[in-house]
Amino acid sequence: MKNKKIILLSSTKSNQSPNQFFQIVQDTINEKFVLRLYIFKKRRNKLIKYFFAPIDIFKLILRIYNYKPDIIFTLGFSSDLISNLIPFKKFITVSFIRGHLPYHYSLDSNIKILGYLQGIIHYFVCSLSDQVVCMTGSMAVEFNSITKKKSIIL
């Protein structure tokens, strides 16, 4: 059986639990078949970060195209969006949902209803993935009730 080329894609490098999970995956699988990518570079100034975002995203898409992965695992809205909307998509995408997104986005937003709506949109972006992994059963039920797509419970 041929070894699969895997990309682990997240927004930024951090020590938070999702990135720790990806680190465990990377350490478990033969390193030469796993590529770890981040959409945004760590920049102190958010204005500069968003100014360079289109360039960072373009370079990321080129790296994905050149690597020719078999599977991309994603964490976070921007990585879900990019991996599911790439025009040359010839790989399997697996999105991880690690919270009740509408609720969490509404907590982070100044305008609660806009945050809630962003969480709903994130669910629909995830539903474009070939597979969706939810961390708990209640997250899977919520995801299924909104998108009508089945997910795997971790």
Side-chain angles (χ1 to χ4, degrees):
M1 183 174 142
K2 175 189 155 211
N3 285 321
K4 302 277 186 203
K5 291 169 80 176
I6 299 170
I7 290 180
L8 304 174
L9 181 63
S10 55
S11 297
T12 57
K13 191 172 189 174
S14 76
N15 291 328
Q16 294 178 336
S17 62
N19 279 306
Q20 290 172 344
F21 173 72
F22 271 5
Q23 190 60 48
I24 291 167
V25 171
Q26 186 175 7
D27 293 344
T28 306
I29 301 171
N30 188 338
E31 271 186 42
K32 70 180 187 177
F33 300 109
V34 177
L35 180 62
R36 188 83 185 266
L37 295 177
Y38 305 97
I39 296 172
F40 303 109
K41 292 182 177 161
K42 278 222 170 190
R43 294 187 171 98
R44 289 194 174 119
N45 186 322
K46 282 193 176 198
L47 183 63
I48 292 173
K49 174 184 173 180
Y50 293 116
F51 178 78
F52 284 106
I55 296 166
D56 292 342
I57 291 168
F58 180 74
K59 286 167 46 177
L60 172 79
I61 291 171
L62 281 178
R63 283 195 73 188
I64 292 170
Y65 178 78
N66 291 328
Y67 188 69
K68 296 181 182 11
D70 297 301
I71 304 169
I72 294 183
F73 292 97
T74 63
L75 284 173
F77 183 63
S78 51
S79 55
D80 291 331
L81 189 65
I82 289 169
S83 68
N84 286 310
L85 298 179
I86 286 179
F88 56 84
K89 185 179 174 203
K90 294 180 181 174
F91 47 80
I92 295 168
T93 54
V94 180
S95 294
F96 286 85
I97 295 177
R98 55 187 169 83
H100 296 279
L101 300 181
Y103 173 73
H104 288 292
Y105 280 115
S106 70
L107 289 178
D108 292 341
S109 177
N110 291 335
I111 303 171
K112 302 295 179 205
I113 191 70
L114 290 179
Y116 189 84
L117 183 61
Q118 184 182 2
I120 299 293
I121 291 168
H122 190 164
Y123 276 153
F124 280 106
V125 168
C126 286
S127 73
L128 299 172
S129 295
D130 298 299
Q131 193 59 255
V132 177
V133 178
C134 294
M135 298 299 166
T136 67
S138 62
M139 289 176 205
V141 168
E142 181 179 79
F143 176 76
N144 181 294
S145 70
I146 293 171
T147 64
K148 307 299 181 225
K149 182 174 180 168
K150 298 275 187 218
S151 62
I152 296 172
I153 301 167
L154 188 62

